Amino acid sequence: MGTVVLGTGSCLPERILTNEELETIVDTSAEWIRSRTGIEQRRVSGRDEQTWQLAATAARRALDAAALDAAELDLVVVGTISSHMQMPSTACFVQNEIGAVNAFAYDLNAACSGFLYGLDLADKYVRADASLKVLVVGAEALSGRLNWQDRNTCILFGDGAGAAVFGHSEEDRGIVGCNFKSDGSLWKLLYMHGAESTNPELRLADNSGPFICMEGREVFKYAVRAMEESVRGLLDRCRLTIADIDYVIPHQANIRIINNLVERLGIPQGKVFINVAKYGNTSAASIPIALDEANRQGVIARGDKVLFCTFGGGLTWGASLITW
Ligand code: ACO
């Protein structure tokens, strides 16, 4: 028995922004983006596609798949770094929009790791009280937080949302374990300022605006090493080996990060879900969107050991394992 996924859902904005279109916005080339990142296109939010709206649609789809009514939810957690408001949380907007009238709701900021940190939280709640139903969403509209003149960052990210509903099952499956780490000393490798302080005493001299700033090459090196360590640590703790893994759903940041990671781990390419070409890096939404697609395409089967790994601003990173 354990904490299982009762249903998944996702939502992507309508508008597709191709690499070729990006050539007309910033000094880059479609081929450079494709060869360095594996990204072909990304989605960009339009009117009525705020972070909370994408999140609410993904949540409704996850509830439909779980055959649950929103009123049956006890907790709504949204992993995001692109809420359209500082307060209330995106989770409160989602709670209201879907009618989760019996749930309490809050956001979780762990950047790209938001969904997996939320999965861990859901597991802890459900283990404490098997009657609880927890909705975890990863949602971002980072197109509003990019400096579109900065080719180091604006080519990488996309908008979208993914969601999963968690609950208890008496069957011999569910979340096996998680292994997370954070290192705040490395925050400067990947960060985004908030609004400028109205208190001059608290104003930051280096406030570069509310845009994503990144040392791409450093992030790349750190991401691969850190995720490998997390996966190996998790498997050791669970007394499992790489050979026990049936399928991997990694954070979709860059095809080269994914390929490097699975090569170091000795996991065959055929066991890895990849959709970064279609959506770019959707931060906290990347893993739940990939999970929803893998689930709906039937590439993960009941009883499979499914491994997730993530890395993001904070720095935050880690791995989770589910017996599906
Ligand atoms: N178009 C064209 N040329 C570019 C672009 C661009 N968009 N961006 C950089 N370049 C140039 C650079 O100026 C540099 O030129 P130079 O050699 O004349 O100085 C050259 O390309 C190489 O630049 P690098 O930064 O060394 O390129 P690299 O191969 O490292 O690729 C990238 C850059 C794609 C950002 C890579 O480092 C990366 O993916 N890092 C991980 C970042 C990431 O995914 N962050 C997301 C958040 S964390 C996460 O989700 C894992």
Side-chain angles (χ1 to χ4, degrees):
M1 66 186 182
T3 307
V4 296
V5 174
L6 301 171
T8 63
S10 58
C11 175
L12 279 308
E14 292 286 313
R15 162 106 164 89
I16 293 172
L17 178 64
T18 62
N19 290 350
E20 284 71 20
E21 277 181 274
L22 267 172
E23 286 179 348
T24 67
I25 296 173
V26 69
D27 178 20
T28 190
S29 79
E31 187 41 38
W32 191 98
I33 301 171
R34 192 171 296 120
S35 62
R36 300 287 177 126
T37 70
I39 300 166
E40 306 269 353
Q41 59 183 48
R42 68 286 295 140
R43 300 296 179 98
V44 173
S45 284
R47 197 171 291 280
D48 299 329
E49 289 177 335
Q50 293 280 6
T51 304
W52 69 272
Q53 291 163 312
L54 300 175
T57 302
R60 275 199 208 93
R61 290 174 181 164
L63 285 166
D64 283 351
L68 275 181
D69 192 273
E72 294 175 79
L73 291 172
D74 299 283
L75 172 58
V76 175
V77 178
V78 178
T80 186
I81 52 166
S82 53
S83 190
H84 73 301
M85 283 192 193
Q86 193 78 27
M87 178 190 72
S89 63
T90 293
C92 282
F93 278 92
V94 171
Q95 183 251 350
N96 179 49
E97 177 69 14
I98 66 176
V101 290
N102 296 306
F104 66 110
Y106 56 89
D107 285 357
L108 183 162
N109 180 341
C112 303
S113 307
F115 179 79
L116 283 197
Y117 278 30
L119 171 150
D120 184 46
L121 206 64
D123 187 31
K124 305 266 153 48
Y125 273 105
V126 172
R127 278 174 197 270
D129 179 345
S131 73
L132 297 183
K133 303 279 183 290
V134 181
L135 170 69
V136 181
V137 187
E140 305 285 9
L142 281 169
S143 57
R145 301 302 179 92
L146 296 171
N147 175 355
W148 288 94
Q149 303 306 309
D150 176 12
R151 67 180 185 175
N152 293 308
T153 52
C154 74
I155 57 143
L156 296 173
F157 296 94
D159 300 343
V165 183
F166 294 88
H168 175 81
S169 169
E170 284 296 319
E171 291 170 26
D172 186 20
R173 61 194 188 92
I175 296 172
V176 181
C178 295
N179 184 23
F180 297 130
K181 290 247 168 65
S182 305
D183 186 348
S185 74
L186 296 170
W187 71 269
K188 273 203 165 169
L189 297 185
L190 186 54
Y191 64 91
M192 177 166 66
H193 282 290
E196 181 130 352
S197 171
T198 54
N199 175 349
E201 301 297 330
L202 298 181
R203 205 163 281 162
L204 300 172
D206 66 345
N207 192 333
S208 47
F211 308 124
I212 291 189
C213 301
M214 184 183 69
E215 297 289 338
R217 206 180 284 185
E218 285 306 304
V219 170
F220 190 113
K221 281 191 292 194
Y222 211 92
V224 174
R225 281 200 308 264
M227 283 193 284
E228 182 188 3
E229 250 179 62
S230 289
V231 170
R232 293 198 186 280
L234 176 61
L235 292 178
D236 279 353
R237 201 190 290 166
C238 300
R239 296 178 202 285
L240 293 169
T241 68
I242 296 288
D244 294 309
I245 304 301
D246 295 296
Y247 210 70
V248 185
I249 301 182
H251 171 48
Q252 309 283 318
N254 180 321
I255 191 71
R256 286 159 59 219
I257 292 180
I258 297 173
N259 287 345
N260 235 289
L261 175 68
V262 297
E263 194 178 306
R264 286 166 80 126
L265 288 169
I267 296 174
Q269 289 282 346
K271 288 185 170 185
V272 186
F273 192 85
I274 297 171
N275 64 6
V276 69
K278 289 192 293 183
Y279 308 131
N281 182 348
T282 56
S283 182
S286 122
I287 288 179
I289 292 171
L291 171 62
D292 185 46
E293 292 196 342
N295 186 23
R296 286 172 196 267
Q297 289 168 19
V299 294
I300 46 178
R302 186 62 62 91
D304 276 356
K305 290 262 181 308
V306 183
L307 175 73
F308 302 88
C309 43
T310 184
F311 189 89
L315 298 177
T316 59
W317 68 93
S320 303
L321 187 67
I322 297 187
T323 305
W324 192 250

